[in-house]
Amino acid sequence: MITKTDFMYGWQCHKLLWWRRHEPDAVELQPDRVLQDLFDQGNLVGALARERFAGGVLIRHEASRVERVRLTADAIVAGAKVVFEGAFIADGVFVAVDVLVRGDEGWHLIEVKSASGQKDQHIPDAAVQAWVLSRNGIVLSRIDIMHLNRAYRHPDVGDLFARTDVSADVTRIVGEMPELTSRQLQVLDGPLPDVRIGRHCFEPYDCPFMKRCWPQDPHHISRLYNVGPVKAAGYMAAGIHRIDDLAPDAKLPWAARRQLRALASRRLIVEPTLTGALDAFDAGPLGFLDFETVSRAVPVWPEMAPWQHAAAQFSYHESKSDGTYRHAAHLAEGPQDARPLVAERLVEETRHAVRVVTYSAFEKTQIRALAAAVPSLAVELRALEEKLIDLLPVVRDNVYHPDFLGSFSLKSVLPALVPDVTHSDLVIVNGLTASVEIARLLFVADRIPRDERQRVRKDLLDYCERDTWGTVRLLEVLRAMAG
Ligand code: SF4
């Protein structure tokens, strides 16, 4: 038997499906905090969606699949107008439908998604359900994806949910379901299938088994700067698997050309233009800023949209006349709107800086969002925005080290250029985990033991500080190179 979830993995890749079913305890499949948070938010969205349908009968997950199918049949025979999580089996495929609403001309199938729009992958997801239901004699009159509404603003501007009618799209592919599902069942009965790597490894979701399938070769074509999954798959289809396979006259961005030179010579490349590019960083006092944000499917603070990011933490270093730096940090506490205090502390700490260095444009977007959310400090925040100066383009346009592996993210650049600043001793090492941990501290602190709360706060403060300190040191190293 395969479930709808299995089917969707198999839709992406048979090898992925096979591993998930044959190695359910694989280390790649163990949910980390980020994945668990996604599940939790999906469950919350599902529960809120059910509140939109009065008098529904919920088929509980705890029962066995066969029992759930029986309970669903009983509810339908008893005349239920709405069924939640109704379970059905046909030809070795098990599905549980989020919402089924009885209508005059048939049932209305509603698949609930926590995304803020209808996505391509929702069509096969709904189609396999529609097919299993049709095999059970259920006539469907309409199929909708019920997703979060990106125009919604908390708490009461618009509706949290929007629906997209996908009946026609589903009808178009539902006839393929018998063959697709029986092929998946055959694959599961056989040995590990041989599937070549390609675009499907990233679409619709990043495959957790990438490290098993993709070469770790630093010269692999997927390591070329500015090559995403689509371009990498295109290169591989054309027989170009390594960066060295590229034709000498291949059209590439300048940073990629510099990468080719660095790989060929196996050394760091520094352009003479670096000196001039650093002129803008000469003014002092010079600040260095990094934000961490929270992003919730169902927004909790005023005027926020689903999944919108809101600054809840920052780290700030500022140069002093004696050549040292002062450090300031802020991390929100409690479930109330964090943005007014973040904005206030930020304005206060950055007041004397002539320029404020960031690494990427993300901080600019967050300062703009703060100005909109905290109108009383909008003027000061706009003034801060004017001071921002981004170091990332300076690195991208002037420097390449073979160890960058095609990326100019701070986590790729620091180990190569500033080995004394490492993230390897930290508990939190990426922004996604930081975001989920902040959300835990803010919104479910009562479920976390006090000791753990303090430890996580310290981990978050350490992580954010390391990013601004890394930027400080990176600028120092770049200046030395330019010199
Ligand atoms: S990395 Fe690609 S080929 Fe390998 S299992 Fe995942 S999707 Fe399939």
Side-chain angles (χ1 to χ4, degrees):
M1 173 126 28
I2 53 170
T3 65
K4 184 200 75 166
T5 307
D6 293 328
F7 172 77
M8 287 309 295
Y9 287 123
W11 173 275
Q12 178 167 355
C13 171
H14 281 174
K15 203 174 190 177
L16 166 60
L17 168 68
W18 196 96
W19 268 327
R20 290 195 69 95
R21 286 292 300 266
H22 287 273
E23 292 186 33
D25 297 327
V27 62
E28 294 93 335
L29 297 178
Q30 303 320 305
D32 58 9
R33 279 258 152 79
V34 173
L35 197 56
Q36 188 56 53
D37 181 67
L38 266 182
F39 292 153
D40 293 346
Q41 299 211 60
N43 289 338
L44 172 64
V45 169
L48 289 172
R50 287 200 288 273
E51 289 177 6
R52 303 301 176 94
F53 303 90
V57 176
L58 175 64
I59 308 300
R60 297 240 160 243
H61 269 225
E62 297 75 35
S64 70
R65 283 184 189 151
V66 172
E67 180 67 0
R68 287 161 70 186
V69 170
R70 189 187 64 73
L71 289 168
T72 305
D74 288 351
I76 289 173
V77 169
K81 295 267 187 292
V82 178
V83 180
F84 302 129
E85 303 296 334
F88 302 86
I89 295 177
D91 300 339
V93 183
F94 172 89
V95 299
V97 181
D98 287 337
V99 186
L100 270 176
V101 180
R102 193 190 291 265
D104 293 338
E105 291 168 14
W107 289 84
H108 184 173
L109 184 155
I110 299 156
E111 171 67 13
V112 179
K113 295 293 180 195
S114 55
S116 47
Q118 188 251 307
K119 306 263 168 64
D120 290 350
Q121 64 266 28
H122 298 160
I123 304 301
D125 185 319
V128 73
Q129 298 178 61
W131 172 67
V132 170
L133 265 63
S134 74
R135 300 279 292 125
N136 279 270
I138 303 286
V139 176
L140 293 175
S141 59
R142 179 178 163 140
I143 302 165
D144 275 0
I145 304 298
M146 183 172 175
H147 48 82
L148 294 173
N149 174 11
R150 56 170 68 89
Y152 170 77
R153 294 293 178 273
H154 183 76
D156 53 12
V157 178
D159 192 333
L160 176 62
F161 288 100
R163 290 198 210 178
T164 304
D165 181 349
V166 293
S167 311
D169 292 330
V170 168
T171 305
R172 212 167 293 130
I173 65 163
V174 76
E176 298 169 24
M177 295 301 124
E179 194 186 329
L180 290 173
T181 51
S182 91
R183 181 81 194 100
Q184 291 193 8
L185 286 161
Q186 281 168 20
V187 163
L188 285 175
D189 268 348
L192 177 68
D194 184 18
V195 181
R196 294 169 73 160
I197 55 173
R199 189 172 166 174
H200 59 276
C201 303
F202 304 87
E203 294 175 355
Y205 305 108
D206 284 355
C207 175
F209 294 109
M210 226 105 72
K211 280 203 177 132
R212 292 194 192 186
C213 296
W214 281 71
Q216 297 304 303
D217 173 8
H219 290 244
H220 190 261
I221 194 66
S222 58
R223 306 277 197 193
L224 182 64
Y225 166 69
N226 208 28
V227 163
V230 177
K231 281 191 197 164
Y235 276 127
M236 289 189 292
I240 299 169
H241 294 272
R242 301 191 85 231
I243 292 174
D244 331 18
D245 297 338
L246 284 163
D249 59 348
K251 270 187 96 179
L252 296 172
W254 282 111
R257 296 207 158 280
R258 195 172 300 113
Q259 178 182 7
L260 261 58
R261 280 162 49 212
L263 289 178
S265 61
R266 298 180 187 203
R267 65 182 182 84
L268 170 72
I269 304 262
V270 180
E271 302 290 353
T273 46
L274 177 63
T275 311
L278 291 175
D279 282 352
F281 296 80
D282 274 349
L286 194 59
F288 296 80
L289 177 64
D290 183 59
F291 282 122
E292 302 303 331
T293 58
V294 282
S295 160
R296 301 284 87 191
V298 180
V300 285
W301 294 334
E303 299 301 319
M304 286 193 65
W307 293 114
Q308 186 182 338
H309 285 264
Q313 176 181 7
F314 70 81
S315 167
Y316 179 71
H317 278 92
E318 190 175 282
S319 63
K320 298 203 289 187
S321 53
D322 62 1
T324 62
Y325 296 86
R326 75 174 178 89
H327 180 246
H330 176 79
L331 173 54
E333 266 186 281
Q336 67 282 357
D337 189 351
R339 295 167 297 174
L341 195 50
V342 168
E344 193 181 303
R345 288 284 327 275
L346 188 61
V347 166
E348 191 182 303
E349 295 294 350
T350 57
R351 177 161 290 141
H352 300 295
V354 174
R355 304 302 301 260
V356 174
V357 182
T358 63
Y359 197 85
S360 92
F362 181 68
E363 274 63 34
K364 183 184 273 193
T365 65
Q366 289 311 305
I367 288 172
R368 283 186 185 165
L370 277 175
V374 190
S376 60
L377 289 172
V379 172
E380 290 85 345
L381 288 163
R382 270 188 221 110
L384 170 58
E385 187 190 330
E386 291 298 311
K387 295 182 191 175
L388 296 184
I389 181 164
D390 189 353
L391 191 57
L392 188 151
V394 174
V395 180
R396 187 194 58 213
D397 297 343
N398 296 282
V399 181
Y400 194 88
H401 189 290
D403 291 348
F404 286 179
L405 301 178
S407 164
F408 291 97
S409 76
L410 200 57
K411 307 287 187 304
S412 302
V413 166
L414 285 180
L417 298 187
V418 197
D420 58 285
V421 179
T422 169
H423 286 74
S424 61
D425 60 320
L426 298 178
V427 177
I428 294 171
V429 293
N430 64 64
L432 268 181
T433 308
S435 175
V436 166
E437 289 291 32
I438 297 173
R440 255 188 359 122
L441 283 185
L442 297 189
F443 305 122
V444 292
D446 51 338
R447 287 188 233 151
I448 309 172
R450 190 184 158 80
D451 286 0
E452 186 181 337
R453 279 204 305 263
Q454 282 170 347
R455 184 176 50 72
V456 175
R457 271 189 78 80
K458 181 177 178 311
D459 293 342
L460 283 163
L461 290 164
D462 288 348
Y463 169 67
C464 200
E465 178 176 357
R466 195 66 54 91
D467 273 1
T468 46
W469 181 243
T471 314
V472 167
R473 291 281 300 116
L474 177 59
L475 181 58
E476 287 177 353
V477 169
L478 292 172
R479 279 183 175 137
M481 284 177 182

